[in-house]
Amino acid sequence: MSSQTITASTLDPGQSSNQAAAQLGREWRLKNWGALLFIAGLWTVVLMHLAVDWRFNPEYRFGWFAPVMMALVLASRLGKGRPRLTANRARMPRTVFWFFVTALAAWPLTRMVGIANPDWHLFSWITVISGLILTLATLHSMGGTKMMRHYGIPFLMVAAVVPWPFFLELHLISTLKSINAMIVTEVLQLSGIAAVRETGGIITMPNAVLGIEEGCTGIRSLHLCLAVALFWGEWFRLPLKGRASLVAFAFLVAILVNVVRTVSLAVIAHQSGPEVLDQWHDLAGIFAQAIVVGICWMLTGWLIARQQRWSRNRFLKSSNSESREAPMQVASVRLKGIVFCLATVWILGCETGARFWFNRPTGDQRASQPWRWSIPPSIDGLRPMRLPPQWRALLAADGTFAGTWIDKSKNRIRYLYSFHWQEGRPAALFATHHRPEDCLPGSGFELVGSPERVAFPTKNGARPFELNRYSFRSSDGVPLTVFHGTYADDKFTESQSGGLTRQRRFNRAIHGEGFPDTRLLEIIFWDTDTSAAQAEMEQQISSIVVLSS
C-alpha cells in the first residue's frame, strides 16, 4: 500500500488551469507507467494467441484488422469526452482486486493449454476473457469506475474477432447453408432455370450441380459485419439503440448479398458450365464483402442522420457535459506501481517459459516402427485429381495429393486424399476440424451409425494400420463408406467432431507436445457398403503404407 497521493498542493498556485492540468497529467502518467506497461504486454500476448487462428482459419482472417481498430478507438477516446483527472481518489473494490489476482494466478495454465491447442476456441475465449478481467481491473486501479468504462471499450471490441465455439459455428453454417440453398433455388426457378434443391446445400440444374460449401454460406460476411458494425458504432459514438440497429441491418445485408452472389455463380455455371466457377468464385467473394462493408457504411451514415448528429463532436456533447458534472477520480494506489511491473514480468515470464517447454528438444518421438508412406500409392488405374484452390488454402498443407480410380468389376468410383504437414506447423491441428461427420452432411449425406475404429494388417509388421470408418447414405439411397485418420509422428491420433479430444488436448499441454510431423489420409468408396469397402481396403492398404524395418 502507498500513502503517496496526487494532490492540488503539489501544483504551483500561480499556474493557469491548463498548466495545472498538464502537470497533473504528467504526474498521473508517471505514477501509472507500470500499469500501462502491464496492459501493453498483456495484449501483445493475447493478440499473438489469436493471430494463429487468424492465419489458418479463413473465416477469421479479417481479425488482422483488430489491432488497428483497437488503436483507432483507443485514440479517439483520448480526445474529447475523456474523463478528467482530479486529485480525489477512489479505492479499488475488493471484488475487483480478487478477480485480478485469480486471473493472474490462472494465467500459466491458460497459456500452457492455449499454446498447445491454438485451434481450441474454448481456450481462445478463456484467454481473451482473462485478458479483459486483468485490463479492466488495472484501469479501475488507475482511475476508478469512470476510467474503466471509458477506456475498457476498445478492449471489449476484441470479442468480435474471437472464433466462435465450434458447435455453435457448425450449427450456424448448416442453418445458413439451408437458407441460402432454399432462397437460391426459388430465385433460379423464377428466372426460368430448372433448379432442384437436394439434401444439404446441393442445387441440381440441367447443366451443372452446385454445392454450397462452408465459405459460400455467408458466415465470413456475418463475422465481418459484426466487427465493422461494432467498430463504426463506437467510432461515431452511436447510442446503444443505434448500434443494435446497425448490427441487425448488417447481418441482414450480409445474408442478402451472399444470396445474390450465389445466384450469380449459379447462373454462370448454368450458362458456361461448372468448370468456369473457379475463375469467378474467389473474386465474387471479395466483391461481395466489399459491397457488404460499403452498405454498412451507408447504414451508419443513415443512422447518424436519423439521430441528427452530423459530426463526432455532437456525439461527444453529452459525455463532455457528464464529465464536467462528475469528473473522474484517480483511484488510490492500493496496488503500487511495482506490483504492475511484477505482473508484467509474470505474464511475459509465463509466455517465455511455456514456449520453451514446447520447443525444448525431446528426442525422437516417433513410433519404434514408423510408417513408410507411398504417396501417390501404386493402385491400378489411379489418376491424379486437381484439388480445389480453396481446399488447399483452407488446409495449408506442405504436401497434398488427391487421386481417383474406378473399381473395374462394378464400375464404382473411389477417391483418395492425402495431406502432410511438416514438424512445427500448427495448421495440422486446424485440419482436425474438417472431419467426414462435419463436412459430408452439408453435401447431402446422412451419417449412418457411429464411426468405428478399424485396424488393417500389413505385410511386414505386427503393428496394424488404424483408421476411423464412417458409413453415409445420400438422399437417393446411395451408400458411401469413408476411411479417415490422422497420424502425428506415425502414431494414430484420437479426435472427435471439433478437433482433438479434451483429454488429448490437456495431455499435449502436460507433456509439452509441440506440432509434430502430421499426415491425414482419407479414402472414399462411392456406392459401396461397409463390408465390401472394408474388404477392398484390406487389399489396397499395403499400396499406401508399410512398416519400416
Side-chain angles (χ1 to χ4, degrees):
M1 306 296 175
S2 174
S3 59
Q4 183 180 358
T5 60
I6 301 175
T7 63
S9 61
T10 63
L11 304 177
D12 184 355
Q15 289 179 319
S16 67
S17 59
N18 290 338
Q19 290 175 325
Q23 182 179 341
L24 181 60
R26 284 192 297 270
E27 293 188 17
W28 181 87
R29 287 190 294 272
L30 183 63
K31 200 170 190 63
N32 290 283
W33 69 270
L36 296 173
L37 180 65
F38 172 68
I39 293 175
L42 173 65
W43 281 96
T44 299
V45 173
V46 172
L47 293 176
M48 283 175 57
H49 175 81
L50 295 177
V52 180
D53 219 306
W54 300 340
R55 180 183 176 188
F56 295 109
N57 192 340
E59 309 298 334
Y60 293 94
R61 283 188 180 154
F62 68 92
W64 291 106
F65 293 101
V68 179
M69 292 190 298
M70 282 179 59
L72 289 174
V73 174
L74 189 59
S76 73
R77 286 188 167 261
L78 291 173
K80 295 183 178 180
R82 65 179 180 178
R84 294 184 298 171
L85 299 175
T86 69
N88 299 326
R89 293 179 178 273
R91 299 186 62 82
M92 177 191 290
R94 188 169 297 178
T95 304
V96 177
F97 172 76
W98 285 114
F99 267 118
F100 178 86
V101 172
T102 302
L104 204 59
W107 191 255
L109 175 63
T110 301
R111 294 308 298 137
M112 287 287 290
V113 180
I115 293 174
N117 304 280
D119 64 314
W120 197 1
H121 295 173
L122 172 62
F123 264 81
S124 293
W125 277 100
I126 291 176
T127 301
V128 171
I129 291 173
S130 299
L132 288 173
I133 290 173
L134 293 171
T135 301
L136 295 177
T138 303
L139 289 172
H140 194 288
S141 73
M142 294 166 61
T145 304
K146 283 187 174 293
M147 172 73 79
M148 183 179 67
R149 289 177 179 174
H150 188 76
Y151 291 109
I153 295 295
F155 301 99
L156 291 173
M157 289 179 60
V158 176
V161 296
V162 181
W164 295 356
F166 182 77
F167 72 91
L168 177 61
E169 190 168 75
L170 189 64
H171 178 73
L172 181 60
I173 288 173
S174 177
T175 303
L176 289 174
K177 186 180 294 186
S178 299
I179 293 174
N180 197 12
M182 179 182 64
I183 297 176
V184 169
T185 302
E186 294 295 330
V187 173
L188 291 175
Q189 290 176 351
L190 291 174
S191 303
I193 300 175
V196 178
R197 179 195 169 202
E198 306 291 347
T199 304
I202 304 297
I203 300 176
T204 303
M205 299 179 291
N207 299 334
V209 176
L210 186 68
I212 300 177
E213 299 178 351
E214 180 177 315
C216 303
T217 59
I219 186 69
R220 297 179 190 177
S221 296
L222 285 180
H223 291 319
L224 180 62
C225 280
L226 177 61
V228 168
L230 291 176
F231 170 69
W232 280 336
E234 173 58 28
W235 180 256
F236 292 104
R237 301 288 181 91
L238 292 173
L240 183 60
K241 184 178 179 181
R243 301 185 193 200
S245 300
L246 181 59
V247 170
F249 279 128
F251 270 44
L252 181 61
V253 167
I255 294 174
L256 293 178
V257 170
N258 191 66
V259 168
V260 173
R261 173 202 178 202
T262 309
V263 170
S264 302
L265 292 174
V267 171
I268 292 174
H270 175 71
Q271 294 179 348
S272 305
E275 60 276 1
V276 302
L277 279 182
D278 287 344
Q279 304 173 13
W280 294 96
H281 183 273
D282 292 341
L283 182 61
I286 295 173
F287 189 62
Q289 290 186 359
I291 291 177
V292 165
V293 172
I295 294 178
C296 286
W297 174 261
M298 290 188 288
L299 285 172
T300 304
W302 176 76
L303 287 170
I304 292 174
R306 186 174 179 82
Q307 296 293 330
Q308 296 183 349
R309 301 288 196 269
W310 296 99
S311 68
R312 291 187 61 229
N313 292 336
R314 298 288 294 277
F315 281 109
L316 300 175
K317 183 178 180 181
S318 59
S319 58
N320 284 340
S321 61
E322 251 181 47
S323 9
R324 284 192 298 270
E325 294 171 5
M328 184 195 73
Q329 295 182 340
V330 179
S332 61
V333 188
R334 183 168 187 172
L335 296 178
K336 296 182 180 180
I338 189 63
V339 173
F340 291 106
C341 293
L342 293 175
T344 305
V345 173
W346 172 255
I347 291 290
L348 298 182
C350 290
E351 189 70 14
T352 304
R355 293 193 179 276
F356 174 79
W357 175 249
F358 286 103
N359 294 323
R360 75 194 192 285
T362 55
D364 190 2
Q365 298 296 315
R366 291 180 176 272
S368 56
Q369 284 186 292
W371 294 106
R372 188 171 71 248
W373 297 76
S374 299
I375 302 295
S378 55
I379 298 176
D380 292 337
L382 178 67
R383 295 181 293 106
M385 185 174 60
R386 181 173 178 270
L387 201 65
Q390 56 267 31
W391 287 23
R392 292 180 179 272
L394 181 66
L395 297 173
D398 298 304
T400 302
F401 176 80
T404 181
W405 75 98
I406 295 178
D407 173 23
K408 297 181 180 179
S409 62
K410 296 186 178 180
N411 200 33
R412 297 174 299 190
I413 194 168
R414 282 84 174 88
Y415 299 96
L416 183 146
Y417 301 98
S418 172
F419 303 94
H420 178 213
W421 294 268
Q422 296 177 359
E423 184 178 358
R425 294 274 290 160
L429 283 179
F430 290 87
T432 61
H433 292 261
H434 303 281
R435 296 166 53 84
E437 67 266 43
D438 299 325
C439 301
L440 286 177
S443 299
F445 292 93
E446 180 183 359
L447 180 63
V448 180
S450 301
E452 298 178 75
R453 184 170 171 177
V454 295
F456 299 95
T458 54
K459 293 180 180 179
N460 61 338
R463 186 160 70 100
F465 187 78
E466 296 177 293
L467 292 171
N468 288 319
R469 184 180 64 197
Y470 302 81
S471 296
F472 292 90
R473 191 168 297 277
S474 67
S475 56
D476 51 0
V478 176
L480 192 76
T481 302
V482 180
F483 294 93
H484 176 99
T486 303
Y487 276 76
D489 280 340
D490 285 326
K491 300 175 183 176
F492 183 78
T493 303
E494 285 284 1
S495 58
Q496 60 186 6
S497 179
L500 302 179
T501 61
R502 287 186 176 87
Q503 180 180 359
R504 182 76 183 91
R505 290 185 182 279
F506 282 113
N507 284 339
R508 281 179 50 78
I510 294 171
H511 299 296
E513 299 180 24
F515 304 108
D517 185 89
T518 304
R519 288 184 180 270
L520 186 151
L521 180 68
E522 181 171 288
I523 302 177
I524 301 174
F525 292 83
W526 183 270
D527 195 14
T528 308
D529 58 25
T530 302
S531 57
Q534 179 76 18
E536 186 175 344
M537 190 68 183
E538 291 176 356
Q539 296 176 359
Q540 300 287 6
I541 193 65
S542 294
S543 302
I544 303 172
V545 292
V546 293
L547 276 177
S548 298
S549 56

